[in-house]
Amino acid sequence: MYISKLTHSLNETLVGGKAASLSKLIEFGVDVPNGFVLTKQLLKDYLIHQQWPEGFLNDLQKEISSLNSDKLIVRSSAIGEDSENHSFAGQLDSIVVENELSAVEATIRQCWKGLENDRVKAYEKISGKILTEMGVVIQIFLEADYAGVTFTQSPTDELCSYTEYVQGAGEQLVAGKITPKNFSAKRTGLDVLNLPFNGKQLITKSFQLKDRYACHLDIEWVAKGNQIYFVQARPITVEVSKKIYWSNTNLNENYPDPISPLLYSIARDSYYHYFKNISKLLQIDGETLRSLESAFSNTVGIWGNRIYYNMTNIHNVMSSSPLRAYFKEAFNQFVGYSDQDVATQSSVNRTSLVKLLWRLMYLNIRLESHVRNIEGKVSDFSRKVDEENGDQINAKLFYEFLDLRFNQWYHASLADFFSMIHYKLLGKITHSFYGEESVGVHNTLIQAIPGLISSEPLNDIWDLVIQIEKIDGGKTFFLENPAELVWDTVNRSSEWKTVQFGFQQYLKTWGFRCSGELMFFKRNYIEDPLKFVELVQSYMRNDAVNPRLVIQKKDLERKKAMRAFVWKIIKKRHILFPLALFDILKLYLIASLCKHAISSRERVRYKQAEMYYKFKVVVKRIGAKEVSKGNLSDSEDILYLSYKEIGELIGSSAMDAALLKEKIADRILHFKEESKKEFPSNFATNFGERPEFIEGEIPFVEGATEFRGLAASGGRIKGRVKVLESVLEGYKIEKGDILVTKQTDPGWAMVFPLIGGLIVERGGALSHGAIVAREFGIPAVIGIDHITRSLKDNDEVILDGNLGKIQLIHHD
């Protein structure tokens, strides 16, 4: 009735916040000094009878005798002393006494009197909370080597914990008698902590507690030898300004330029459904999904009319998974974001790890069927766009696209998801055997992926060049005449009928694959075939190598690297052959899964480009109809409306249809002004703020001679650079040049057989440029801010794709 062990599950309303917190800490598996608690009923009965209840002192004697310590600490545990809004920390008494009944008895009464002390009364006035009931905690007293307090969220940096500590007991720290030492630490990189106590254990356990409590904590602890003991944990009551972290490192591959209001409205809702559907597939429960609605709704944002990931909300979504840390690291690597966790909330995990792993296995087995499903749906949509027209048909196709993109695209998103997690897992395996040299090996293991759809346009261009060269004087004609004349001749002359058919087939199959292929403002090879003629001319002028032979060579390198890896495993495991066999099987399995997932991802990206182009055709038809009705001035003006506004236009349900032309004219002017603004690839803002300008985290240094980025594809090369804004400038490349650009979407693959190296401002290890670079064994470094401004055409550089390093050796 009066005494409860701390190892029991304790109710805060009976024993107070401190005792209940200690009970919960023990339940969560951290070390807590042994002890027990006296319930609030003891104080109530003592005040009524003005004496100890019968038999209590005998029970108390037994309990303190069972504590193997010469000294005890008697600690006040008032009911309601700590909450998310207030904390009586330091206001109530904690007293060290000898392990004797009389001393403990007197100290219990002293703790009770603390309810009336001046400190408590003053804080009651401030907080509005009145304390009237109290439990009392009695524990063994540890002669601490060090003691301190850790905040899982620093008051100055929400990504870091903050710790203050002193040598010896913590009373000096609480009392403010000395200036404590301090340090900040992120969840990752704890091995670098150099402290006189086990700092790694302290911070690791603190963050684990933060996850279990689902809020940031103020944690008191003591260190004895190499062991950390936790003596209190309460919610942090100091408000920290919430930061939102933004990144477009990977998004620039799909959306390299300012995007139209129509495209942003689609992209914003697409990512909402993308992350929500993935969460559902991973069986995150309904209550958690509802709690994350704000995060799902704001996974992307727009700055300077360029789309950005809201990394904070994406990490918040991933925090609902039992594999939260792994998924966050994998996503960061996937999009080329720095290795940090920027979540601001930890959802209560209600998903079983075992259940999740079984679900992942099931979804991975079903990946091929999901990919085929979405390929079929997009092909059907594309066929309808080609074969059918008319107002009602176009309206139906408009909504069919939206249904595909919002509700059906989860079939495709699984390819992204498994590419991400398998690439991360293969990297971990490689690093465990190769250490710092693992990046080059890791990327070699997934080069020359069989049947990669990104290689097929290159093969078709090669075949087209061969067809041209078979015609007498064909190569000379192509190289000595402008693209306009070549295109006109090929389409009119019967002599070029075979080549004409080759051009038509290529444009029909691949013509929508071009730089900025998802951008409604961009023109592709179907819309501007002369640019394709220029690309073919560039191939012929530079004697491009047969891409099939290149991939065969890279496939041999991949197999050789795999064999070398196997021997490395055998040598390391030595006599432990069963363990070596397990490692080898695991290597082959993960490498195979990774290659299949990447191949699947490229297939759905191809269908995505096709779907977006066909949708643009439909939208322009609708725009042309609205021009004829007098609602628009130009068919492309429709791109400045959101998809919901277009839906209202189709359904004649818009509130302000009469003002549509005026609205679009104002929107175009605003769009042009907003597009002039530049924001860094990665930056942070305060929650709810929208600054007009943000300085980059890493300032551009003019004249720098060395640059570092992500090692994306191995090899070392010396050569001249060509800085291109778009693949439509591919005609400028000469064989062996090092391509420098801001991002590489699938449309860039056409120039890869010509280049000797690749340098990209944005992107991650699984960006399209990195994948194709590995296919062709092209050294590549990705993720270097401002590199397109640092380097100029014909600068000479050394590019090291193993180290992620570039040296500028001659500035033209």
Side-chain angles (χ1 to χ4, degrees), residues 164-167 169-181:
E164 291 185 343
Y165 67 93
V166 295
Q167 191 168 7
E171 284 82 358
Q172 301 176 87
L173 178 60
V174 175
K177 294 179 179 178
I178 63 172
T179 301
K181 295 183 179 180

Side-chain angles (χ1 to χ4, degrees), residues 246-250 252 308-309 337 679-683 696-697 742 761-762 784-786:
W246 305 91
S247 175
N248 70 353
T249 305
N250 174 262
N252 269 288
Y308 279 77
Y309 280 130
Y337 190 63
F679 293 88
S681 297
N682 300 290
F683 62 92
E697 291 183 8
K742 288 184 177 180
E761 276 193 9
R762 307 157 180 159
I784 309 176
D785 280 349
H786 309 298

Side-chain angles (χ1 to χ4, degrees), residues 222-283:
V222 296
K224 184 72 174 176
N226 199 44
Q227 193 63 37
I228 302 294
Y229 295 88
F230 291 81
V231 296
Q232 175 68 307
R234 59 175 71 87
I236 290 178
T237 56
V238 178
E239 186 174 347
V240 180
S241 68
K242 182 179 177 182
K243 292 272 187 191
I244 304 298
Y245 290 82
W246 305 91
S247 175
N248 70 353
T249 305
N250 174 262
L251 280 172
N252 269 288
E253 184 174 317
N254 287 330
Y255 309 101
D257 298 313
I259 66 175
S260 68
L262 172 58
L263 184 55
Y264 179 59
S265 70
I266 293 169
R268 183 174 175 84
D269 285 6
S270 295
Y271 282 107
Y272 167 84
H273 292 285
Y274 177 97
F275 285 102
K276 193 167 188 178
N277 286 331
I278 281 286
S279 298
K280 289 179 180 177
L281 286 171
L282 296 179
Q283 296 185 320

Side-chain angles (χ1 to χ4, degrees), residues 83-224:
S83 74
E84 293 184 0
N85 301 315
H86 65 263
S87 171
F88 280 80
Q91 315 299 325
L92 298 165
D93 295 315
S94 292
I95 304 164
V96 178
V97 299
E98 298 295 326
N99 191 342
E100 296 176 354
L101 180 60
S102 60
V104 173
E105 180 187 353
T107 308
I108 293 170
R109 286 193 290 262
Q110 187 174 343
C111 285
W112 287 340
K113 290 180 180 178
L115 289 173
E116 302 297 325
N117 73 40
D118 293 339
R119 300 189 306 273
V120 169
K121 292 303 178 183
Y123 191 75
E124 286 178 341
K125 289 182 180 179
I126 296 171
S127 65
K129 175 67 178 178
I130 308 298
L131 301 181
T132 60
E133 301 175 300
M134 178 183 288
V136 177
V137 176
I138 301 173
Q139 294 172 277
I140 64 173
F141 176 71
L142 295 175
E143 295 285 355
D145 298 326
Y146 292 88
V149 58
T150 293
F151 298 89
T152 57
Q153 185 181 58
S154 166
T156 57
D157 186 348
E158 63 178 324
L159 297 182
C160 290
S161 65
Y162 177 73
T163 299
E164 291 185 343
Y165 67 93
V166 295
Q167 191 168 7
E171 284 82 358
Q172 301 176 87
L173 178 60
V174 175
K177 294 179 179 178
I178 63 172
T179 301
K181 295 183 179 180
N182 65 77
F183 67 94
S184 296
K186 292 185 177 180
R187 193 164 196 155
T188 55
L190 300 179
D191 290 330
V192 302
L193 293 177
N194 183 20
L195 298 165
F197 48 85
N198 195 337
K200 183 177 180 180
Q201 182 189 76
L202 168 66
I203 301 304
T204 299
K205 292 288 187 182
S206 294
F207 276 118
Q208 288 173 356
L209 287 175
K210 171 250 180 186
D211 292 339
R212 296 296 297 272
Y213 276 80
C215 67
H216 283 289
L217 301 173
D218 163 359
I219 299 170
E220 295 176 23
W221 54 269
V222 296
K224 184 72 174 176

Side-chain angles (χ1 to χ4, degrees), residues 382-423:
S382 182
R383 178 189 58 78
K384 291 176 185 176
V385 174
D386 290 341
E387 296 177 357
E388 303 176 21
N389 202 342
D391 295 348
Q392 291 185 354
I393 296 292
N394 287 326
K396 182 178 178 181
L397 291 172
F398 178 85
Y399 285 105
E400 184 172 336
F401 167 85
L402 296 179
D403 178 62
L404 276 173
R405 193 64 187 89
F406 297 160
N407 303 321
Q408 305 296 326
W409 204 250
Y410 71 89
H411 297 288
S413 65
L414 286 172
D416 271 344
F417 178 76
F418 283 112
S419 295
M420 176 182 80
I421 63 174
H422 291 326
Y423 184 83

